[in-house]
Amino acid sequence: LHVAILASVLSLIIYWIIRDRYRVRNLNGKHVFITGCDTGLGNSLAKWLDKKGFCVIAACATEKGSQELRCCSSLSLKTVNLNLADSNSIARAVVFVTEQTAGKGLFGLVSNAEGTAPVGPTDWLRIEDFHSVLDVSLLGLIEITLKFLPLLKKAEGRVVNLINAKGLVAFVGGGYSLSKWGMEAFSDTLRIEMQHFGVKVSIVEHGFFKAEEVNSDIIEKYLFKLWNRLTSETRDSYGEKYLVE
């Protein structure tokens, strides 16, 4: 029994030593850029990293989101408006971050974007419904990552892609799951390629957060909107009972 206890204690000590080797030191002057900071996980992470002493640059989709975040953060936290579906907006954000980092490079890029999510049977959807999700949650995140790679390589930084695990289960039609699986593949490829430059690439698969709980009323509204725009032929093939069941 005593040997087992001693072995457990030694295992914990070894674990703590190894863990502490990977703890980031000297946080001052390390810049981290985070997308999707208006609400939810991105917002909470920006505040937490700011309190830890990082130089946080938070990207928000709205000016209201930027103002509210600045009001409850330190003066070192900066915000920038960002529309991930707009290449010009991405380019402006990259210029802003380049100026803020002042030649130091970018220590961290945290990608967090959900996009809009029309859900329903696949043949109820149009190609623009897929674009509304993929242009933000996949192509937009890929584009901004590509634009930041020079800064990340300069600082031997890291890319952290936050992926909601519910999107890894294809239970409904639309671009949501496509975007999550796409980011998984992009991250895995980038991780291998960036090892040569000392850039780490990680995926964090998270679950539901209280701030991100799905509103059943919104889903129902989407379904009825999709149903009402269907041709009569498609509606007849499903039948009125399909929608209410």
Side-chain angles (χ1 to χ4, degrees):
L1 178 62
H2 293 294
V3 174
I5 294 174
L6 180 60
S8 298
V9 172
L10 288 174
S11 297
L12 284 173
I13 293 173
I14 293 171
Y15 167 75
W16 285 329
I17 292 173
I18 294 174
R19 184 194 62 178
D20 287 344
R21 285 181 59 194
Y22 291 95
R23 192 181 296 273
V24 178
R25 308 291 182 184
N26 302 320
L27 306 184
N28 292 333
K30 287 183 167 61
H31 290 81
V32 178
F33 180 83
I34 310 170
T35 68
C37 293
D38 294 81
T39 59
L41 182 57
N43 183 276
S44 299
L45 181 62
K47 294 174 182 175
W48 186 76
L49 291 180
D50 177 56
K51 290 179 180 179
K52 287 289 183 180
F54 284 99
C55 298
V56 176
I57 305 174
C60 297
T62 64
E63 183 58 35
K64 179 182 178 182
S66 295
Q67 291 177 355
E68 291 178 351
L69 184 56
R70 288 196 300 268
C71 286
C72 54
S73 304
S74 74
L75 294 177
S76 67
L77 183 143
K78 308 296 181 183
T79 62
V80 59
N81 290 342
L82 176 65
N83 176 5
L84 283 169
D86 182 357
S87 293
N88 292 327
S89 178
I90 291 174
R92 288 192 293 270
V94 172
V95 170
F96 180 80
V97 173
T98 302
E99 293 172 349
Q100 291 295 317
T101 55
K104 298 178 182 178
L106 185 61
F107 179 76
L109 168 62
V110 182
S111 292
N112 166 58
E114 290 292 282
T116 56
V119 295
T122 299
D123 65 344
W124 292 19
L125 302 171
R126 300 171 181 170
I127 192 63
E128 54 264 31
D129 296 320
F130 287 87
H131 276 294
S132 68
V133 179
L134 297 177
D135 286 352
V136 173
S137 297
L138 179 58
L139 298 178
L141 291 181
I142 289 175
E143 181 175 356
I144 201 165
T145 302
L146 296 177
K147 294 288 180 64
F148 276 130
L149 284 181
L151 291 179
L152 289 162
K153 287 172 9 181
K154 187 168 189 176
E156 294 189 354
R158 65 280 323 276
V159 178
V160 180
N161 290 323
L162 305 180
I163 298 176
N164 198 319
K166 72 176 184 285
L168 301 177
V169 181
F171 62 91
V172 68
Y176 189 77
S177 289
L178 293 177
S179 69
K180 303 311 172 189
W181 289 1
M183 283 305 295
E184 289 264 345
F186 175 72
S187 302
D188 289 342
T189 303
L190 190 66
R191 182 183 304 112
I192 297 170
E193 297 169 345
M194 288 295 108
Q195 285 180 352
H196 176 72
F197 301 98
V199 175
K200 300 178 178 64
V201 179
S202 302
I203 300 170
V204 176
E205 296 175 355
H206 62 85
F208 281 102
F209 287 83
K210 188 172 183 180
E212 298 171 340
E213 289 179 351
V214 176
N215 188 326
S216 59
D217 292 335
I218 294 176
I219 294 177
E220 185 176 344
K221 181 180 178 181
Y222 267 125
L223 286 173
F224 276 104
K225 181 179 179 180
L226 294 173
W227 175 264
N228 290 331
R229 78 180 189 187
L230 293 176
T231 64
S232 58
E233 180 182 4
T234 303
R235 279 201 296 265
D236 291 343
S237 71
Y238 281 90
E240 294 288 344
K241 288 185 179 180
Y242 185 90
L243 188 62
V244 297
E245 290 175 353

